[in-house]
Amino acid sequence: MPDIEAVLSSCLETLSKEYDIEVVNHVPKIKNSPQGYIWKVLLLVGIADEPQDIEVYMHFPSSFPNSMPNVFVTDDRFKHLPHISAKSRKLCTYEDGLVYDADNVEGLIRDNISSVRHWLEDFYGRDNADEYIKEIRSYWQEQYEGENAVDDYWILVGDIPETTCEMTGIVYADKNLKDRKTFVISIVATDNDNKTIECIKLQHEVINIPVLYLASLKISDTPPFCMTGRDLVDRISDYNDKALFKKFLNRNGKANILFPIGIDNAIGGVIINSLNVNRNGFRNTSLTPYYVLTSLDGNKKLERLHASVYSSNRIARRTAGGLMERRHFLIAGLGSIGSNLCYYLNGYNNAAFTLTDKDFLTVDNIGRHLLGFNDISQYKSFAVADYLQKYRPDRDVKSLIANLQEVQEEEINSATMVFVCTGDVMSEKWLLSEMTAGIVRKPAILLWLEAYGISGIMIYINPYEADAIQRLTEKANDSFMDYCLIKREEYADERKLIQRDAGCNGSYALYSANDVTMFLSSVFPIIDRLLERPTESKCYRWIGNIDIAQEKGISLVQSEGMSKNTLQELPV
């Protein structure tokens, strides 16, 4: 690392011959001035066709020159220009992710000074409405004079309404994981029985709030975006919307008013707290909330809010670029394989899940399960569903406390694919018999790991291949030993391959969470391909910890030509 102090001293000596530069210890006119190396640079800039000296402050952070200097322009004439924060006066003239030559420190400083001059000359004294429209979200979230910070803890579930409407709204308290401080989140939706809101109600104690969306309210084209009660009414262009707003506010005594800000991923709004209608000099009941807002308190600035849009369409556009094909996965068995498989399948942005398992999560499961300590004693199917819905509350997830054999035929056949991760041959045999009888008509995948993660088996079953299903049924009668990498005679001595806890049926195979991850990450590309293009039934064998087999003297069906973390294809 270069000696930054020495490098800056050298640059200062050179650049001071061209610019009026002074080393200072703070940036004036702003709260919480940065500490460290700060220069005040006096720039001669053409403002309104007249050359003027403008003070610019450059702060060099400890990470400089591997990060850009922070530039501040404190002159009030420029606080509402594009690309500057009205509150912090910090200027942004470079795109995030810019790649530059950090070794050329003097050149970097020169470039910043030049960029500031161009910014001042390009944007001062002209109509910048087009610039604000490009990044309206950032400018709306700015805090302007005499108002509180914008409340950014709002989420609109679903798409932005096209017309004026009353909305469902709730608020709930949560704690910051960093310092355990409480903050309040507000959620709004257009429908009364919104799935996301219902999910949140199960997890938090909520309070209902009055919310009105005004489609005809138009915000200013330029900052500052502060708004008083009078401003609010003046900006509603539709007569019926004005009447509805007045009626809504008088009925509730307070209101949360939402409106478009010109983009499809966020909306703006104002918070109208309870208004004092009992005032000296006025008869009881003579004042209405609307009159107080627009007349007595008409010049008070309202607290603004910013609500991000949360919808399947928006999430899809931000990730895959659009909604994927609708898929419904049924996962039977939510142990180490089934639960972690859900993590992979959750990547499909248009997926629904049916989860079935009869067991609770116990202390013994912790270590290679998707879930952890906080879910001990919960039914696995409900706990994994909770995990999926905390990730995407709008996700369709159904939990069953049942073996695969107990799941209704309609539920199974509604799935795009059935995953059997029970480690229970009887469940697998039952599924094959249902396919033989033509009752189950959906493709299925059986997954399990052999002891010590020596190998992992994935069998894909095409429901329309009767001959293959018959052969698989015969192999199931032999516990699919033909596909295992460990020789069948090794299974005769169960002490070699499994551990047993005290109690009835307390046996389990040893393998790690890392083995589960390596296995699933190897076979998931095949699962993805099979969802797109079904093929003939086939077995895929993942080669795992064959070194452990050698250490423990466990005989394998194949002793040469294998590499760890590779896949073998075996016919069925």
Side-chain angles (χ1 to χ4, degrees):
M1 287 288 292
D3 183 341
I4 296 302
E5 187 172 4
V7 171
L8 287 175
S9 295
S10 175
C11 291
L12 178 62
E13 182 178 353
T14 302
L15 293 170
S16 292
K17 298 174 183 177
E18 304 173 44
Y19 303 99
D20 186 347
I21 302 176
E22 178 185 352
V23 177
V24 297
N25 58 16
H26 75 288
V27 179
K29 293 187 178 182
I30 66 171
K31 292 182 179 180
N32 304 316
S33 172
Q35 303 299 310
Y37 303 105
I38 303 174
W39 291 359
K40 181 175 78 172
V41 183
L42 205 60
L43 286 182
L44 187 63
V45 182
I47 299 295
D49 297 325
E50 181 182 340
Q52 298 183 32
D53 288 325
I54 306 299
E55 290 182 359
V56 174
Y57 293 84
M58 300 186 71
H59 166 249
F60 301 95
S62 59
S63 55
F64 180 81
N66 292 303
S67 61
M68 283 286 190
N70 300 310
V71 178
F72 300 88
V73 181
T74 59
D75 191 317
D76 286 343
R77 290 176 294 172
F78 312 120
K79 63 183 178 182
H80 294 316
L81 292 187
H83 313 301
I84 190 170
S85 167
K87 181 180 179 181
S88 72
R89 306 299 176 90
K90 184 178 177 181
L91 178 62
C92 176
T93 56
Y94 296 95
E95 293 284 345
D96 289 340
L98 176 70
V99 179
Y100 57 88
D101 182 4
D103 294 327
N104 184 7
V105 177
E106 182 184 321
L108 179 59
I109 297 174
R110 285 182 183 278
D111 194 68
N112 272 266
I113 292 174
S114 177
S115 294
V116 176
R117 174 182 281 117
H118 286 306
W119 170 77
L120 289 165
E121 293 176 340
D122 290 346
F123 291 115
Y124 186 76
R126 56 156 278 195
D127 181 1
N128 294 305
D130 57 334
E131 290 293 323
Y132 301 122
I133 291 172
K134 292 176 186 177
E135 299 177 9
I136 184 62
R137 191 173 185 178
S138 296
Y139 298 114
W140 178 261
Q141 291 173 291
E142 272 288 329
Q143 181 180 357
Y144 300 100
E145 301 91 338
E147 67 170 0
N148 295 326
V150 175
D151 185 349
D152 196 34
Y153 293 93
W154 284 72
I155 298 173
L156 165 62
V157 178
D159 295 323
I160 297 175
E162 296 182 358
T163 58
T164 293
C165 61
E166 292 191 31
M167 304 182 75
T168 300
I170 61 169
V171 297
Y172 64 93
D174 208 341
K175 288 189 180 294
N176 190 308
L177 294 177
K178 176 178 177 286
D179 52 23
R180 305 306 296 168
K181 288 183 179 179
T182 299
F183 61 95
V184 175
I185 298 178
S186 303
I187 311 291
V188 297
T190 55
D191 46 332
N192 292 325
D193 56 350
N194 183 270
K195 185 181 299 181
T196 298
I197 287 183
E198 292 306 312
C199 181
I200 291 170
K201 285 181 176 179
L202 294 175
Q203 300 171 14
H204 300 276
E205 185 175 336
V206 306
I207 298 174
N208 295 320
I209 56 173
V211 182
L212 177 65
Y213 180 81
L214 294 172
S216 68
L217 192 152
K218 188 178 185 303
I219 65 171
S220 170
D221 291 331
T222 60
F225 293 107
C226 317
M227 200 176 292
T228 66
R230 289 196 185 103
D231 294 333
L232 176 67
V233 174
D234 289 343
R235 292 194 171 281
I236 303 173
S237 61
D238 184 85
Y239 174 81
N240 292 326
D241 282 2
K242 285 188 178 183
L244 177 61
F245 166 66
K246 181 177 181 179
K247 182 179 179 181
F248 184 83
L249 180 59
N250 286 336
R251 183 177 77 230
N252 292 287
K254 58 184 178 180
N256 299 279
I257 306 302
L258 308 180
F259 41 78
I261 57 174
I263 53 178
D264 62 2
N265 59 4
I267 57 176
V270 293
I271 299 169
I272 304 172
N273 294 312
S274 295
L275 295 159
N276 180 13
V277 295
N278 298 311
R279 303 195 179 197
N280 293 333
F282 295 89
R283 293 180 181 179
N284 290 339
T285 72
S286 66
L287 294 178
T288 65
Y290 180 82
Y291 181 80
V292 172
L293 176 74
T294 57
S295 297
L296 300 183
D297 293 348
N299 292 323
K300 288 186 177 180
K301 291 183 178 178
L302 301 173
E303 181 179 356
R304 290 184 297 118
L305 67 88
H306 167 268
S308 297
V309 172
Y310 172 84
S311 69
S312 295
N313 288 327
R314 190 198 170 196
I315 299 301
R317 288 197 302 271
R318 287 279 295 170
T319 52
L323 278 175
M324 297 176 175
E325 180 183 345
R326 173 78 171 174
R327 287 180 172 132
H328 177 193
F329 303 121
L330 189 153
I331 298 96
L334 294 158
S336 56
I337 302 295
S339 67
N340 283 287
L341 177 63
C342 289
Y343 169 83
Y344 286 84
L345 295 173
N346 193 39
Y348 293 107
N349 65 26
N350 194 17
F353 291 81
T354 296
L355 311 174
T356 185
D357 196 306
K358 297 189 82 166
D359 291 340
F360 294 95
L361 189 75
T362 69
V363 172
D364 301 320
N365 302 133
I366 304 301
R368 60 189 190 191
H369 202 274
L370 174 69
L371 306 176
F373 191 86
N374 287 340
D375 292 300
I376 290 173
S377 298
Q378 299 287 350
Y379 279 107
K380 291 179 180 178
S381 58
F382 280 84
V384 174
D386 180 68
Y387 166 86
L388 293 171
Q389 291 190 308
K390 281 180 177 175
Y391 185 83
R392 291 285 302 274
D394 55 328
R395 183 81 85 190
D396 287 327
V397 184
K398 184 174 184 178
S399 303
L400 302 174
I401 304 172
N403 293 324
L404 177 61
Q405 298 94 311
E406 299 169 321
V407 178
Q408 295 294 318
E409 171 192 335
E410 294 80 8
E411 189 70 41
I412 297 175
N413 283 318
S414 69
T416 306
M417 187 172 285
V418 178
F419 295 91
V420 184
C421 312
T422 59
D424 171 27
V425 176
M426 295 309 298
S427 296
E428 297 159 346
K429 289 178 66 174
W430 175 85
L431 180 65
L432 288 164
S433 68
E434 295 294 287
M435 286 182 168
T436 299
I439 297 173
V440 171
R441 302 176 298 280
K442 292 302 175 78
I445 288 180
L446 317 181
L447 296 121
W448 73 92
L449 272 169
E450 289 198 89
Y452 300 106
I454 290 171
S455 86
I457 312 299
M458 184 179 90
I459 300 175
Y460 170 71
I461 310 171
N462 186 321
Y464 299 105
E465 284 193 303
D467 291 344
I469 292 172
Q470 178 59 40
R471 291 192 296 272
L472 285 168
T473 300
E474 294 170 0
K475 293 181 185 298
N477 291 328
D478 192 29
S479 300
F480 296 110
M481 283 293 177
D482 284 352
Y483 300 128
C484 293
L485 186 58
I486 298 175
K487 282 188 175 180
R488 67 175 59 238
E489 51 264 32
E490 296 287 3
Y491 282 91
D493 183 4
E494 67 173 21
R495 293 172 301 178
K496 203 169 186 179
L497 300 179
I498 66 172
Q499 297 289 315
R500 185 172 293 278
D501 282 340
C504 178
N505 301 321
S507 63
Y508 58 93
L510 287 171
Y511 52 82
S512 70
N514 185 63
D515 296 329
V516 175
T517 300
M518 297 296 286
F519 171 47
L520 290 176
S521 62
S522 293
V523 299
F524 194 74
I526 297 171
I527 293 174
D528 181 66
R529 188 169 69 239
L530 291 169
L531 285 166
E532 292 287 343
R533 298 183 300 277
T535 66
E536 70 280 1
S537 300
K538 188 174 292 186
C539 175
Y540 299 87
R541 185 165 67 197
W542 171 74
I543 306 302
N545 300 319
I546 50 180
D547 53 333
I548 293 180
Q550 185 175 4
E551 290 172 10
K552 294 186 174 294
I554 299 172
S555 300
L556 306 179
V557 296
Q558 182 179 344
S559 58
E560 295 180 355
M562 294 186 297
S563 298
K564 185 176 180 178
N565 206 35
T566 57
L567 284 173
Q568 297 176 330
E569 292 188 14
L570 306 175
V572 300

